[in-house]
């Protein structure tokens, strides 16, 4: 059995088990709990057959250890089978049900999706693609998912109906979520970079600053958002004109401020760590060449420390995309609005409408930032 | 008593007072409460919320430690080496999942309450512990390992008597990180009706009562700081003991 990939065997076993789990649920309306339907009960065998065959073939192709390309092809076939079953299964289930019926993917679908996605990731990591190849793949996957959503093939699913009934709210929430996450990242970078550089040069400032920032980090995220509300409503009352530029106790401003404060520690700490990566000999050489400290900073220390600084920004971005969901609790908008509405109405698909884009955004940002970090890493280090 | 020891004792005393005698703090929080509104949270006892908060964190972190260390042992053995890239991928991806999203996604499957919170805290705790356990188990001094093999220890004995004790301080760093993250994240669990100190903060958010927000926030923050501190002390003590042992062995 030497030719078998051990993870491939694991995927095959898990995948086969998941095929027997309920693949979709059919509910009489939006709120009631649905009944689970197994794969082969979704539609006529001539419709489900090809999909199941594709997935089995995919699991089988994942087995040979020495052929990562074959395993990638297997994962792609499996994902294709999964989408085939989801699209055709949804329309056939709806055809036999009432007007208000809702269909959603169930445990079996999600499980198989995870199995094939991990199979793809495992095979890809065996090839260890460079940053350009990874960026290309990321764009390809986004384009494929985008095309699938755009085509309307999934419009029978319950989550798509939740989307259709609040399209405009969804676009507003998306903009707001992106604004919160990227805006606070930008603000943290603008404040944190100079703070990091200054405290790199000044040990006294460093000793005073780091405990304060660590303290900010220990405040639970919920409380941080809550504390910002009175602080900002006080500010908007005291500072003339503050209200006119959108500083108010609830909404965007407190969420933005809370996220920015949270981001300062990782930014400053990583700037400090990054500036320390320049070897002493290199700095000595720079000093010997007669560079001023500003030249040493911009031409030696910052370029050498850039990957570390960027990985700090990666931590902040992923963290803020997740924390921005909490803004939904204090009227700050974003995808959290749907998550908390869904929790209140116990409407699972509305929760999904908020949670899935958040997860996707976090994943894409993490992968994109990893690629950036690798691109900025000096070539000699990468080859080691 | 040293200065850090005094600060520590003061923090413990403050925390105990906040948890056991919340009413003592009425004058402190009163300026932040809305006019005529309640100052101190009374719908549940702070003590029982704290215990249930810490219980959730302890259970989730305990499970995460068992699974993460177990996985790390597995993938650092020759038989499990093929799973190393896969387990890295899984824990990395797991970490990018936003905690609130995990909580919300777990609700349809597990219902409201402690279940989804446990799942989210568990998933979130895995990565730091797994990463440090791998680092600890794969960077053991080769001479020590050679000596262990030389005196005829079996694989199992080497793992239990040499590798795990040597890796323990490093693994503890991961556990400390993971527990502190869990203490903060558990507050979010109250959005899905888990009984944690987040309940106090959320009650404050919903009734725009900053006194509640501060009360809950200060208690959770103090718990996080003190647990972090206690685990750091444990780590230092262990490292020192290990250092003395290996120094003694060399002498």
């Amino acid at each position: 059995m030497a030719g078998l990939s051990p993870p491939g065997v694991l995927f095959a076993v898990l995948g086969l088990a998941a095929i027997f789990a309920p693949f979709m649920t059919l509910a009489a309306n939006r709120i009631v709990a649905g009944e689970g339907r197994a794969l082969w009960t979704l539609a006529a065998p001539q419709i489900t057959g090809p999909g199941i065959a594709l997935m089995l073939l995919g699991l089988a192709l994942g087995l040979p250890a020495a052929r990562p390309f074959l395993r990638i092809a297997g994962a792609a076939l499996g994902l294709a089978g999964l989408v085939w079953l989801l699209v055709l299964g949804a329309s056939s289930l709806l055809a036999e049900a009432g007007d208000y019926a809702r269909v959603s993917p169930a445990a079996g679908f999600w499980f198989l999706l995870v199995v094939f996605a991990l199979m793809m990731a495992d095979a890809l990591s065996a090839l260890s693609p460079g940053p350009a190849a990874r960026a290309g793949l990321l764009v390809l996957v986004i384009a494929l998912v985008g095309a699938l959503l755009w085509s309307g093939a999934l419009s029978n699913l319950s989550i798509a109906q939740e989307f259709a009934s609040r399209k405009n709210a969804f676009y507003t929430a998306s903009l707001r979520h992106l604004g919160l996450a990227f805006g606070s990242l930008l603000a943290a970078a603008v404040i944190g970079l100079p703070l990091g550089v200054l405290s790199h040069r000044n040990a006294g400032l460093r000793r005073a600053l780091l405990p304060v920032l660590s303290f900010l980090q220990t405040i639970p995220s919920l409380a941080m958002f809550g504390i910002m509300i009175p602080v900002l409503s006080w500010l908007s009352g005291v500072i003339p004109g503050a209200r006119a530029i959108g500083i108010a106790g609830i909404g965007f401003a407190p969420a933005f401020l809370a996220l920015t404060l949270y981001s300062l520690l990782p930014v400053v700490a990583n700037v400090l760590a990054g500036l320390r990566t320049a070897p002493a000999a290199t700095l000595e050489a720079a000093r010997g060449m007669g560079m001023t400290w500003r030249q040493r900073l911009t031409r030696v220390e910052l370029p050498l420390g850039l990957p570390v600084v960027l990985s700090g920004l990666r931590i902040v971005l992923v963290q803020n995309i997740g924390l921005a969901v909490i803004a939904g609790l204090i009227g700050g908008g974003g995808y959290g609005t749907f998550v908390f509405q869904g929790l209140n109405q116990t409407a699972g698909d509305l929760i999904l409408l908020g949670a899935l884009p958040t997860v996707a955004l976090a994943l894409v940002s993490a992968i994109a930032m990893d690629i950036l970090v690798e691109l900025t890493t000096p070539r000699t280090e990468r080859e080691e | 008593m040293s200065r850090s020891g005094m600060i520590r004792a003061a923090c413990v005393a403050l925390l105990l007072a906040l948890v056991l005698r919340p009413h003592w703090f009425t004058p402190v929080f009163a300026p932040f409460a809305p006019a005529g509104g309640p100052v101190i949270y009374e719908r549940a006892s702070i003590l029982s919320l704290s215990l249930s908060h810490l219980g959730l964190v302890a259970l989730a972190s305990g499970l995460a430690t068992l699974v993460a260390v177990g996985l790390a042992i597995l993938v650092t053995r020759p038989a499990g080496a093929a799973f190393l890239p896969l387990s890295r991928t899984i824990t990395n991806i797991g970490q990018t999942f936003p905690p609130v999203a995990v909580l919300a996604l777990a609700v349809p499957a597990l219902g409201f309450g402690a279940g989804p919170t446990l799942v989210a805290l568990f998933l979130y705790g895995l990565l730091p512990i797994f990463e440090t356990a791998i680092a600890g188990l794969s960077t053991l001094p080769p001479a020590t390992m050679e000596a262990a093999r030389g005196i005829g220890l079996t694989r199992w004995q080497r793992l239990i008597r040499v590798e795990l004790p040597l890796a323990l301080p490093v693994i503890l760093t991961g556990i400390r990180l993971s527990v502190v993250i869990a203490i903060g994240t558990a507050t979010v669990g109250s959005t899905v009706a888990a009984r944690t100190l987040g309940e106090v903060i959320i009650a404050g958010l919903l009734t725009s009562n900053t006194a509640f927000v501060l009360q809950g926030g200060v208690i959770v923050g103090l718990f996080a700081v003190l647990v972090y501190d206690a685990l750091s002390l444990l780590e230092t003590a262990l490292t020192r003991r290990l250092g003395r042992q290996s120094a003694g062995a060399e002498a």
Side-chain angles (χ1 to χ4, degrees):
Chain A
M1 302 290 273
L4 292 186
S5 140
V9 176
L10 180 69
F11 292 142
V13 172
L14 291 178
L16 282 178
I19 284 181
F20 293 94
F23 190 78
M24 297 182 91
T25 51
L26 175 63
N29 61 46
R30 168 169 182 259
I31 307 293
V32 297
E35 103 189 85
R37 299 291 287 263
L39 259 182
W40 49 90
T41 62
L42 294 178
Q46 60 268 34
I47 296 178
T48 55
I52 298 178
L54 273 179
M55 291 203 297
L56 290 176
L57 183 63
L59 290 175
L61 287 180
L63 291 174
R67 302 274 175 79
F69 281 111
L70 213 57
R71 283 189 278 153
I72 291 177
L77 283 183
L79 289 172
L82 211 51
V83 173
W84 167 285
L85 285 166
L86 187 67
V87 171
L88 296 179
S91 56
S92 117
L93 279 183
L94 277 185
E96 59 173 271
D99 282 346
Y100 299 105
R102 292 289 186 108
V103 284
S104 321
F109 170 83
W110 295 116
F111 206 85
L112 283 163
L113 181 67
V114 169
V115 165
F116 284 117
L118 285 178
M119 192 165 144
M120 180 79 86
D122 188 46
L124 281 176
S125 72
L127 291 173
S128 55
R134 288 218 303 276
L137 265 173
L138 183 64
V139 171
L140 179 69
V141 169
I142 294 175
L144 283 176
V145 173
L148 182 64
L149 294 177
W150 197 256
S151 69
L154 299 178
S155 59
N156 280 327
L157 293 177
S158 180
I159 179 172
Q161 289 171 341
E162 297 286 345
F163 167 71
S165 62
R166 40 177 79 72
K167 235 178 215 165
N168 287 328
F170 184 84
Y171 292 133
T172 321
S174 302
L175 279 180
R176 178 56 75 83
H177 205 97
L178 288 172
L180 277 174
F182 283 88
S184 59
L185 173 77
L186 192 69
V190 167
I191 304 169
L193 278 174
L195 272 183
V197 170
L198 284 178
S199 47
H200 174 63
R201 291 182 47 83
N202 184 337
L205 177 65
R206 184 163 67 233
R207 271 194 296 274
L209 188 66
L210 284 182
V212 174
L213 295 183
S214 312
F215 165 75
L216 283 179
Q217 206 79 358
T218 61
I219 301 176
S221 46
L222 266 181
M224 182 74 106
F225 279 84
I227 293 168
M228 288 307 130
I229 298 177
V231 171
L232 281 174
S233 49
W234 175 75
L235 272 183
S236 72
V238 179
I239 302 174
R243 211 176 285 272
I245 56 168
I247 295 181
I250 54 161
F252 185 80
F256 183 85
L257 192 60
L259 290 177
T260 308
L261 287 179
Y262 255 129
S263 319
L264 283 179
L265 178 70
V267 173
V268 173
N270 276 56
V271 170
L272 275 173
L275 292 178
R276 272 191 222 120
T277 52
T282 316
L283 283 177
E284 197 52 48
R287 226 172 272 135
M289 285 168 64
M291 284 192 180
T292 62
W293 82 265
R294 189 181 299 273
Q295 286 171 325
R296 287 202 302 275
L297 181 71
T298 53
R299 299 205 198 151
V300 182
E301 290 172 299
L302 273 182
L304 282 177
L306 193 58
V308 183
V309 175
L310 279 178
S311 40
L313 295 184
R314 173 205 192 271
I315 298 175
V316 167
L317 182 58
V318 172
Q319 169 190 295
N320 284 4
I321 290 172
L323 285 178
V325 174
I326 297 179
L329 262 188
I330 59 165
Y335 293 130
T337 323
F338 301 129
V339 171
F340 293 114
Q341 268 178 23
L343 285 173
N344 284 337
Q345 305 173 3
T346 59
D349 293 296
L350 189 52
I351 301 179
L352 279 184
L353 186 64
L356 285 184
T358 315
V359 170
L361 196 59
L363 270 179
V364 170
S365 311
I367 297 172
M369 288 297 282
D370 280 340
I371 295 174
L372 259 184
V373 170
E374 201 176 320
L375 281 177
T376 53
T377 307
R379 204 164 277 283
T380 46
E381 267 178 60
R382 231 188 290 159
E383 279 161 8
E384 270 172 13
Chain B
M1 202 191 285
S2 70
R3 201 167 139 237
S4 64
M6 265 155 65
I7 296 179
R8 194 172 295 137
C11 283
V12 172
L14 179 63
L15 180 61
L16 283 177
L18 274 165
V19 170
L20 298 174
R21 293 281 178 274
H23 283 281
W24 289 359
F25 294 88
T26 312
V28 183
F29 291 125
F32 302 101
V39 177
I40 298 296
Y41 190 72
E42 277 176 341
R43 260 170 274 172
S45 102
I46 300 289
L47 177 64
S48 82
L49 286 180
S50 301
L51 289 179
S52 129
H53 189 118
L54 293 182
L56 269 176
V57 170
L59 188 57
S61 301
L63 286 176
T65 306
L66 277 182
V67 173
V69 174
L71 263 180
I73 291 175
L74 200 76
V75 299
T76 47
R77 304 304 102 184
F83 288 98
L84 181 60
L86 178 66
S87 50
R88 277 241 161 93
T89 312
I90 295 179
T91 42
N92 269 327
I93 295 177
Q95 197 74 357
T96 54
F97 272 60
V100 190
V102 174
L103 276 174
L105 290 176
V107 165
L110 300 169
F112 284 88
T117 315
L118 263 182
V119 170
L121 293 184
F122 167 76
L123 287 180
Y124 244 59
L126 281 179
L127 180 78
I129 306 178
F130 180 73
E131 287 274 301
T132 52
I134 295 241
L137 287 171
S138 54
T139 54
L140 298 167
T144 315
M145 295 307 299
E146 197 53 49
R149 231 170 279 139
I151 60 170
L153 293 184
T154 63
R155 271 189 191 176
W156 182 247
Q157 286 170 325
R158 286 205 301 270
L159 175 67
I160 298 294
R161 298 204 204 152
V162 183
E163 297 180 40
L164 280 181
L166 280 179
L168 193 59
V170 185
I171 299 179
L172 259 180
T173 317
I175 296 179
R176 185 181 57 175
L177 264 179
S178 147
V179 169
V180 170
I181 295 175
I183 291 179
T185 310
T187 53
V188 184
S190 287
T191 56
V192 297
R195 292 204 66 211
T196 75
L197 289 162
E199 202 177 299
V200 183
I201 302 175
I202 290 178
L205 286 179
L206 295 180
T207 57
S208 3
N209 184 341
T210 312
F212 285 178
V213 175
L214 284 176
Q215 194 193 354
V218 168
I219 297 177
V220 177
L222 275 176
F223 269 125
V225 170
L226 285 172
V227 168
Y228 183 90
D229 187 51
L231 289 173
S232 310
L233 285 181
L234 181 65
E235 213 176 293
T236 328
L238 271 178
T239 319
R240 207 177 295 144
R241 216 185 68 190
L242 272 179
R244 200 175 299 147
Q245 267 176 359
S246 59
E250 274 160 29

